[in-house]
Amino acid sequence: MKVATAALYLQGDAKFWWRVKYEAIKAGEYALETWAELKAALRLQFFPKNVEYNARRKLRELRQTKSVRDYVWEFSALILNIRDMGDKDKLFTFLEGLKPYARIELQRQRVDTLPKAIQAVECLGDYHVEAQKDRPQPPARMGFKGGQPSNGGPSRSGGD
């Protein structure tokens, strides 16, 4: 039942692949009866062999350079491609990729699971952005070089 239901959600190349497989199943040339068999067949057909290796490499190099939300999204997408990473390694890798202010705060809070870390850092990220908005901004330094007005020519002192 799961196989038939899952097949309804396939799109694009996967849908075409399923039609070919379904014809082979009806002809008795192929058997695909369980959810596990369907997942294995889909992985074999569409999951590149080196995707897990590439995901591990990208995860190792991943650093928060944009918003917290962007970092969480990138991290989560990579983790989906790594099937055998332990929970403690996921948490450690997540924390190590964060900006220092966020990593230190999560360590201070003693988060001990990845879901808790994600929840805490998303709150912290929103707070950090709002706190920066509330800070007074220094005045803009337009048209000045070395404390003198910059108008393209030598400055004049005194009048005519």
Side-chain angles (χ1 to χ4, degrees):
M1 182 66 167
K2 282 185 178 181
V3 172
T5 303
L8 295 173
Y9 291 95
L10 297 176
Q11 298 178 4
D13 290 343
K15 190 172 190 174
F16 177 73
W17 171 84
W18 174 249
R19 285 182 184 160
V20 171
K21 288 294 181 193
Y22 185 71
E23 291 301 319
I25 291 169
K26 285 193 328 188
E29 302 166 359
Y30 190 77
L32 194 66
E33 299 171 358
T34 67
W35 175 244
E37 289 173 345
L38 176 63
K39 287 192 313 184
L42 283 167
R43 274 199 187 102
L44 185 62
Q45 181 67 33
F46 296 104
F47 203 67
K49 296 196 185 312
N50 63 347
V51 75
E52 187 170 346
Y53 177 83
N54 289 338
R56 285 180 188 275
R57 173 180 279 160
K58 289 178 183 175
L59 192 60
R60 183 183 66 205
E61 297 169 357
L62 182 64
R63 297 292 177 262
Q64 180 193 353
T65 58
K66 301 175 194 166
S67 71
V68 166
R69 194 161 287 177
D70 288 340
Y71 176 73
V72 168
W73 187 87
E74 290 177 59
F75 184 89
S76 299
L78 290 171
I79 286 295
L80 290 175
N81 293 322
I82 302 172
R83 289 180 263 156
D84 63 349
M85 190 172 197
D87 291 339
K88 287 184 179 183
D89 288 331
K90 288 178 186 177
L91 177 61
F92 176 81
T93 305
F94 180 80
L95 292 174
E96 287 300 303
L98 288 170
K99 289 183 177 178
Y101 81 90
R103 180 177 54 250
I104 291 167
E105 179 59 24
L106 266 59
Q107 289 170 336
R108 189 191 67 74
Q109 291 181 22
R110 297 179 189 224
V111 293
D112 57 354
T113 66
L114 182 60
K116 288 179 185 176
I118 289 172
Q119 183 180 16
V121 81
E122 284 180 337
C123 291
L124 179 63
D126 294 339
Y127 172 75
H128 186 70
V129 169
E130 290 301 318
Q132 284 183 336
K133 286 181 186 176
D134 292 341
R135 289 185 185 158
Q137 298 298 319
R141 302 172 109 193
M142 296 175 13
F144 286 89
K145 285 187 180 177
Q148 297 295 321
S150 173
N151 59 5
S155 63
R156 294 186 221 170
S157 57
D160 291 49

